[in-house]
Amino acid sequence: MPVGATSTLRLESNPSTGYGWQVVETHNLRVDEPFAIEQAPSSGAPMVGVPGTAVIRITPRGKGPASLTLVYKRPWAETTAEDRTLSFVFDAQ
């Protein structure tokens, strides 16, 4: 990833259930929050309860390794082994 260039991650999400993607850890990355939620164009106007896609914008701060760990959980709940966790490692140049 080029330093200073913004990339976009798109992850399935359904915030009406109380669940959402949350940053657990980041290194050498700027992560734009809150994450935008997009619904499929076929769903028409935004509707409550319709699944969507979390749009996560990340930008490397400097050269070298960069990483991001996200968890899909309810913000008020403790993180458990059942929560979905994703980790990404990048090389910023």
Side-chain angles (χ1 to χ4, degrees):
M1 291 178 60
V3 172
T6 300
S7 295
T8 303
L9 300 173
R10 295 182 186 284
L11 303 172
E12 291 181 8
S13 184
N14 191 346
S16 69
T17 62
Y19 283 84
W21 289 104
Q22 299 171 35
V23 174
V24 175
E25 185 177 329
T26 183
H27 171 72
N28 198 28
L29 286 176
R30 186 185 82 228
V31 181
D32 295 342
E33 293 187 79
F35 307 143
I37 302 294
E38 295 177 346
Q39 291 182 345
S42 61
S43 65
M47 299 172 60
V48 175
V50 175
T53 303
V55 179
I56 303 166
R57 290 182 175 78
I58 57 173
T59 308
R61 294 182 185 269
K63 290 186 177 186
S67 61
L68 172 65
T69 301
L70 302 164
V71 64
Y72 189 68
K73 68 180 209 75
R74 291 180 167 132
W76 60 86
E78 301 254 347
T79 302
T80 67
E82 289 85 36
D83 294 326
R84 285 191 279 174
T85 302
L86 294 175
S87 293
F88 301 91
V89 178
F90 308 93
D91 185 23
Q93 306 204 4

